[in-house]
Amino acid sequence: LREEIKSQHNFEEIIGESQSIMAVLRQIEQVAPTDSTVLIRGDTGTGKELMARAIHNLSPRRVRSLVKVNCGAIPANLVESELFGHEKGSFTGALQRRIGRFELADGGTIFLDEVGELPLDAQVKLLRVLQEREVERVGSGHSTKVDVRVIAATNRDLHAAVKAASFRADLLYRLNVFPIEVPPLSARASDVPLLVNRFVTKFSSKIGKKIDGVSQATMDRLMKYSWPGNIRELENVIERATILAKGPVLQIDDVLLHGNSAPHLPIADSLEEVERDHILRILQDMSWVIEGTQGAAARLGLHPNTLRSRMQKLGIKKSRPTG
């Protein structure tokens, strides 16, 4: 079955034979021929974009574009223009008409990466596009029909974000038609040797060194490691080890592994604590101004009274200067 799925459906970019990754490939095989919206959930570095590309490549839309949008990388004031386009003169700096990503993806697929980072006002507009299948450019008085398949991805728990009022429940229902959960690398340790061999081949060729592989002790160490940064971290480790290699066999010690990891952030005890920390940080950023367009309420997408109510409930008060 593994070989059949891979040979018939062109999954070369997705490396792995573990049960967990094969289950994901079967889901991709099932949903790809349809036009259904897909929500891919997985930790950073697990390969969510590869999954989205596989879905597009196996769909009838593969002859048209797969347009990728990193929702977390677009400034909040430009999200609408980026997604839906704008007319010339619709705002300061709009020197010419611009086609948005949805129109560019017409007939194809749009991949909304980090969809959980979209501001609330952009979430409302996105919901309308998903419902009506039409976009309205900023500054335009009319709508344009679009035929787009939507694939979204996030590393956040969107159900928790809905409870924290940072993500719209109705948008989540629209996106979560066919959810796919990408397993972390720690849950598919048997795939580590396959990934290691692929990355060794890639980087030895790129850097111009003859590397045959890794020692057995190194492979054992790599398979036991927890990989908090997932496949992306493994790729970085192999690239660094290839650069440092003095012979044809890579030796990777614990220093190289742990030196590659980002520091672990403390995990909050509860959703309330996460919400409290987030509101407190925004209030401090906004110098404790609650109302107005430059206030914390607008930044959080809340009514000022709602924010005050949350502050009271969470015990958030402006500390008075001492001395």
Side-chain angles (χ1 to χ4, degrees):
L1 175 64
R2 290 172 185 170
E3 291 308 313
E4 187 181 334
I5 288 177
K6 286 204 172 189
S7 62
Q8 285 183 1
H9 297 299
N10 191 22
F11 286 123
E12 281 93 350
E13 288 184 302
I14 301 171
I15 309 299
E17 292 180 351
S18 62
Q19 286 188 355
S20 57
I21 202 66
M22 295 308 293
V24 170
L25 296 186
R26 278 192 288 271
Q27 285 184 295
I28 290 173
E29 180 192 23
Q30 289 168 329
V31 78
T34 74
D35 252 352
S36 296
T37 302
V38 179
L39 179 62
I40 303 171
R41 229 290 312 165
D43 295 340
T44 299
T46 49
K48 297 185 289 297
E49 186 180 343
L50 285 184
M51 307 298 170
R53 198 178 300 149
I55 293 168
H56 173 73
N57 289 341
L58 295 177
S59 77
R61 294 174 177 270
R62 62 184 171 274
V63 294
R64 302 300 294 271
S65 300
L66 169 66
V67 176
K68 182 193 170 188
V69 184
N70 187 331
C71 301
I74 309 171
N77 60 328
L78 294 177
V79 170
E80 275 188 63
S81 167
E82 194 70 28
L83 291 178
F84 314 124
H86 64 249
E87 297 292 343
K88 182 179 178 180
S90 55
F91 55 86
T92 305
L95 303 177
Q96 58 187 15
R97 184 189 194 196
R98 175 175 182 149
I99 302 295
R101 300 293 183 92
F102 269 88
E103 284 187 76
L104 287 173
D106 191 27
T109 307
I110 191 164
F111 175 48
L112 302 174
D113 198 8
E114 296 187 39
V115 72
E117 307 305 318
L118 279 177
L120 284 165
D121 54 348
Q123 291 178 30
V124 176
K125 303 274 193 335
L126 175 58
L127 179 63
R128 181 175 174 275
V129 172
L130 295 178
Q131 288 170 335
E132 309 294 335
R133 295 291 164 177
E134 56 185 32
V135 296
E136 186 175 311
R137 295 192 200 110
V138 178
S140 171
H142 67 276
S143 300
T144 304
K145 285 283 183 186
V146 286
D147 171 25
V148 176
R149 197 239 185 108
V150 176
I151 302 175
T154 184
N155 59 9
R156 292 179 60 189
D157 181 346
L158 293 186
H159 292 280
V162 167
K163 288 182 182 174
S166 62
F167 201 82
R168 292 181 62 95
D170 44 9
L171 178 57
L172 175 56
Y173 298 142
R174 281 279 173 182
L175 293 173
N176 202 33
V177 175
F178 193 92
I180 293 178
E181 187 79 24
V182 184
L185 187 53
S186 58
R188 41 182 292 220
S190 61
D191 289 334
V192 168
L194 294 172
L195 289 159
V196 167
N197 290 335
R198 170 60 67 91
F199 294 142
V200 166
T201 302
K202 173 183 173 180
F203 292 117
S204 59
S205 171
K206 179 181 172 183
I207 294 167
K209 285 187 176 180
K210 188 180 184 305
I211 305 291
D212 297 328
V214 303
S215 67
Q216 189 56 52
T218 288
M219 188 64 82
D220 292 342
R221 188 175 291 115
L222 295 178
M223 289 183 72
K224 288 175 186 170
Y225 182 59
S226 60
W227 298 112
N230 293 292
I231 297 170
R232 192 173 297 141
E233 183 185 359
L234 173 59
E235 188 173 12
N236 290 343
V237 164
I238 299 300
E239 182 173 13
R240 189 181 302 177
T242 305
I243 293 167
L244 297 172
K246 292 183 171 67
V249 179
L250 293 187
Q251 304 285 347
I252 298 171
D253 57 21
D254 288 336
V255 174
L256 190 59
L257 282 180
H258 294 288
N260 190 74
S261 302
H264 288 286
L265 296 173
I267 297 171
D269 295 330
S270 67
L271 188 60
E272 256 191 14
E273 190 175 328
V274 173
E275 185 182 6
R276 187 181 188 282
D277 289 347
H278 182 61
I279 290 175
L280 189 58
R281 182 170 58 79
I282 298 297
L283 282 164
Q284 288 167 347
D285 285 352
M286 300 290 104
S287 303
W288 290 85
V289 175
I290 291 176
E291 304 206 24
T293 55
Q294 298 301 312
R299 174 99 174 262
L300 288 161
L302 300 173
H303 189 279
N305 290 342
T306 307
L307 176 54
R308 289 191 185 94
S309 170
R310 293 266 175 89
M311 289 168 64
Q312 189 173 2
K313 180 187 169 189
L314 297 166
I316 298 173
K317 292 179 182 174
K318 184 178 180 182
S319 56
R320 294 178 181 176
T322 55

